[in-house]
Amino acid sequence: MSALVPLLVALPLLGAAVTLVFGRSPRLQVAVSAGTLGAVSVIATVLLVAVDQGSPIAVSVGGWPTPFGIVLYVDRFAALLVLVSSIVLLAVLLFSIGQGAADGVEETPISIFNPSYLILAAGIFDAFIAGDLFNLYVGFEILLVASYVLITLGSTESRIRTGAVYIVVSLVSSILFLAAIAMIYGAVGTVNMAQVAERVAQLPQETQLVLHLMLLVAFGIKAAIFPVSFWLPDSYPTAPAPVTAVFAGLLTKVGVYALIRTETQLFAENSIDTLLLVVALATMIIGVLGAVAQAELKRILSFTLVSHVGYMIFGLAIVTPDAIGATVYYIVHHIVVQTTLFLAVGLIERKAGSTSILRVSGLMKAAPLLAVLYFVPAVNLGGLPPFSGFIGKVGLFEAAAAVGTPLMIVIIFGGILTSLLTLYALMRAWNLAFWREDDDAAEIDGRLAYLGNAAAADEQGSTRRIPAIMNVATGGMVAVTLALTVFAGPLYAVCERIGVNLLKPVSLVQLDEEAGG
C-alpha cells in the first residue's frame, strides 16, 4: 500500500505536465485531467479502506530516515479528505468542461485551466498527507501558485483587482507560516510533526504559546476565521463559476485541516481552547450577519462559508473525541454542500444573466430543475433535518453540552442562531429568485430596500445556454450531498474513529516503524 501514497501527488503533477505539453489539444487535456482525478479517487478509496482496517501508512520519500527526509503520512483523516476532495475536483472539472464548450475560452481557457487545476489538486493532496511542517508549507504554496492563475482567469478588471488582494493576503499568511517553521526548527531542531510533538512539550509555556499563536494566525488566514476573514467575500465571487466552487469547497478546509493537526498533535499541552471558542462564536455570528445583508448570491454564499468555518473551529476547541469526530464529519459535509451551492449559483447566473436576488425572478417556471438543484443543498447547509448539516451540528452541540460550561452553552445558542440565519438568507434568495414573478418585483424590492446599497459582484448580463453536462455535474454533487445523509451511519463512525486517533498523536518511533526506517 505504501507505494500508492506518493501517487496522490505525483499523478496530478504528471497530468499537469502532460496537459501543458498538449495545450493545443483540448480533448486530450480534458481526458488526462478527468483520468488523473478519477485515478486519485480510486487510490484514495483503497487507502481509506486500508488505514481504517489497519494502521496509518507512512512513506519516507527517497528512503531518507524519518527525521531528515520528507514523510508522507496517510491516516483515516488524510485519506478521507483526499477522497472527498478528489470527488469534488472531478465534479467541478466536468462542470468546467460544459462551460468551456458553451462559452469558448473566454471564461475558462482550457490550455491554462487544466494544468493549473491539476497543480491545485496536487497542492491540496500534498497538504493533506504531509508528515512534516515544511512539506505542508510546500503543499500550501503549490496550491496557492495555481490559485493565483485560476482566480484571475479571463483577466477582467474585477478579477485582477480581487486577485491582487487574494495574493497579498496569501503571501502574508505564507510568510507567517514560514517564519513559524523557522522558529520551531530553531527551538526543537526538526520540522517532522511527530518529532515536533515530542519535543515541543519540553519548551517553556511562553515559547510554546508564541509558536502556537503564529501557526494559529497563519492557518487562520487560510481558513478565513474572524478577524482575518475579511479577504474572502471580495475575492471568491468574481472568479469563474468552477473556480469559485472549488475554492469555496476546498481551500479554506486545507487551513482548517492544518489547524486540527496543530491543535491535536503539536500543541496538545498548550491549550488556547477559550480563545478558539471566542473566535468560533465571532466567526459564526459575524459571517452570517454579513450573509443576511447581501443582495448577491455569490456574496451570500461567501459569507455563509466564513460563518460555517466557525462551526469547525467550535468543534476543534471542545477537544474531545466526540467533538473532533463531529468536526471531521462537518468538514466533509461542508466541502460537498458548499461546492454544490456555488455550482448551482453558476447555473442561475447563466440562466438569468445575473446572481443578484433583486434582479432575478421567475426561475421556478423557467427552470424547475435548477430550483431543485439549489434548494436541496441550501436547506442542507441551513441544517434542516434529516440532512447531513443537521447531523453534523447536532453532533457538535451534543459534544459541547457534554462539557457543559457556560461558554459552551452560549456558543450552542450562537450556533443555533447561525443556522437559522443561514436558512433565512438562503431561503430568502430562493424565494425571490424562483418564486417571485415580475409583477411582484416592485412590492418585494420595496420591502427589501435595506439591500439596495449592498455590494454586488455582477452586472446584468445576457442569458446563456446551459449544457447538459453542467446540469449533470451539479446534479451529481446534489446526489453526493444526499449520500452523506443516507450513509451517515458508517461515515460518522469513521469520523468518530478519526476523532479518537487524532487525540492520540503518533510517536516518532511508531512513525519510523511504519515508514520502514
Side-chain angles (χ1 to χ4, degrees), residues 293-354:
Q294 302 305 308
E296 198 273 327
L297 275 168
K298 290 182 181 178
R299 291 183 63 84
I300 291 172
L301 293 182
S302 294
F303 275 101
T304 61
L305 168 59
V306 172
S307 69
H308 284 251
V309 169
Y311 285 104
M312 304 168 204
I313 305 304
F314 171 34
L316 174 60
I318 301 174
V319 199
T320 64
D322 290 341
I324 300 298
T327 301
V328 174
Y329 181 84
Y330 201 81
I331 290 172
V332 173
H333 147 81
H334 197 261
I335 288 174
V336 175
V337 172
Q338 195 78 42
T339 303
T340 306
L341 275 170
F342 270 102
L343 292 181
V345 170
L347 297 181
I348 291 173
E349 184 175 22
R350 298 184 68 85
K351 186 66 178 179
S354 173

Side-chain angles (χ1 to χ4, degrees), residues 25-86:
S25 186
R27 290 186 178 180
L28 180 59
Q29 281 198 327
V30 167
V32 170
S33 300
T36 298
L37 293 174
V40 171
S41 300
V42 172
I43 293 171
T45 302
V46 172
L47 290 175
L48 177 59
V49 172
V51 298
D52 190 43
Q53 296 177 348
S55 59
I57 301 171
V59 177
S60 293
V61 178
W64 290 89
T66 298
F68 305 105
I70 295 175
V71 174
L72 302 178
Y73 183 72
V74 177
D75 58 2
R76 291 186 183 96
F77 191 23
L80 177 61
L81 290 190
V82 170
L83 174 59
V84 174
S85 300
S86 60

Side-chain angles (χ1 to χ4, degrees), residues 277 314 317-318 399-401 403-413:
L277 287 171
F314 171 34
I318 301 174
V403 176
T405 62
L407 183 56
M408 290 290 183
I409 303 303
V410 169
I411 299 182
I412 289 175
F413 281 105

Side-chain angles (χ1 to χ4, degrees), residues 232-233 236-239 244-245 248 287 290-306 338 340-361 363 370-371 373-375 377-378 381 422-434 436 451 454-459:
L232 190 149
Y236 285 5
T238 59
T244 303
V292 169
Q294 302 305 308
E296 198 273 327
L297 275 168
K298 290 182 181 178
R299 291 183 63 84
I300 291 172
L301 293 182
S302 294
F303 275 101
T304 61
L305 168 59
V306 172
Q338 195 78 42
T340 306
L341 275 170
F342 270 102
L343 292 181
V345 170
L347 297 181
I348 291 173
E349 184 175 22
R350 298 184 68 85
K351 186 66 178 179
S354 173
T355 53
S356 171
I357 60 176
L358 300 180
R359 298 183 184 135
V360 180
S361 61
L363 285 180
L370 184 50
L373 294 180
Y374 174 85
F375 181 81
L381 188 66
T422 299
L423 191 61
Y424 165 73
L426 295 177
M427 289 299 97
R428 179 193 65 192
W430 190 78
N431 181 49
L432 294 179
F434 290 94
R436 177 180 56 164
L451 291 176
D458 74 329
E459 298 290 340

Side-chain angles (χ1 to χ4, degrees), residues 158-427:
S158 60
R159 290 176 186 174
I160 297 297
R161 182 177 64 253
T162 57
V165 174
Y166 174 78
I167 290 171
V168 170
V169 172
S170 298
L171 287 176
V172 170
S173 173
S174 296
I175 290 170
L176 285 173
F177 186 18
L178 191 59
I181 291 174
M183 293 177 65
I184 290 172
Y185 185 80
V188 300
T190 184
V191 293
N192 179 274
M193 290 189 191
Q195 198 167 21
V196 169
E198 289 182 348
R199 297 183 182 182
V200 77
Q202 302 170 11
L203 298 175
Q205 284 294 317
E206 295 80 4
T207 304
Q208 291 187 49
L209 182 61
V210 170
L211 300 176
H212 195 171
L213 291 177
M214 287 190 69
L215 288 179
L216 174 64
V217 173
F219 296 149
I221 294 174
K222 298 180 186 298
I225 63 174
F226 181 83
V228 288
S229 58
F230 61 90
W231 58 272
L232 190 149
D234 289 326
S235 297
Y236 285 5
T238 59
V243 175
T244 303
V246 78
F247 279 23
L250 292 176
L251 295 199
T252 53
K253 309 314 179 300
V254 178
V256 172
Y257 171 85
L259 282 171
I260 292 175
R261 290 291 190 189
T262 299
E263 298 301 318
T264 60
Q265 296 187 339
L266 301 188
F267 296 101
E269 303 300 324
N270 185 256
S271 174
I272 55 171
D273 299 340
T274 301
L275 173 62
L276 288 175
L277 287 171
V278 173
V279 167
L281 180 61
T283 303
M284 286 191 288
I285 298 300
I286 293 174
V288 80
L289 290 178
V292 169
Q294 302 305 308
E296 198 273 327
L297 275 168
K298 290 182 181 178
R299 291 183 63 84
I300 291 172
L301 293 182
S302 294
F303 275 101
T304 61
L305 168 59
V306 172
S307 69
H308 284 251
V309 169
Y311 285 104
M312 304 168 204
I313 305 304
F314 171 34
L316 174 60
I318 301 174
V319 199
T320 64
D322 290 341
I324 300 298
T327 301
V328 174
Y329 181 84
Y330 201 81
I331 290 172
V332 173
H333 147 81
H334 197 261
I335 288 174
V336 175
V337 172
Q338 195 78 42
T339 303
T340 306
L341 275 170
F342 270 102
L343 292 181
V345 170
L347 297 181
I348 291 173
E349 184 175 22
R350 298 184 68 85
K351 186 66 178 179
S354 173
T355 53
S356 171
I357 60 176
L358 300 180
R359 298 183 184 135
V360 180
S361 61
L363 285 180
M364 179 62 75
K365 290 183 178 179
L369 175 61
L370 184 50
V372 175
L373 294 180
Y374 174 85
F375 181 81
V376 173
V379 296
N380 196 340
L381 188 66
L384 284 186
F387 294 106
S388 57
F390 174 79
I391 296 170
K393 286 169 183 153
V394 168
L396 291 171
F397 295 158
E398 287 181 344
V403 176
T405 62
L407 183 56
M408 290 290 183
I409 303 303
V410 169
I411 299 182
I412 289 175
F413 281 105
I416 295 172
L417 177 62
T418 299
S419 188
L420 293 175
L421 289 177
T422 299
L423 191 61
Y424 165 73
L426 295 177
M427 289 299 97

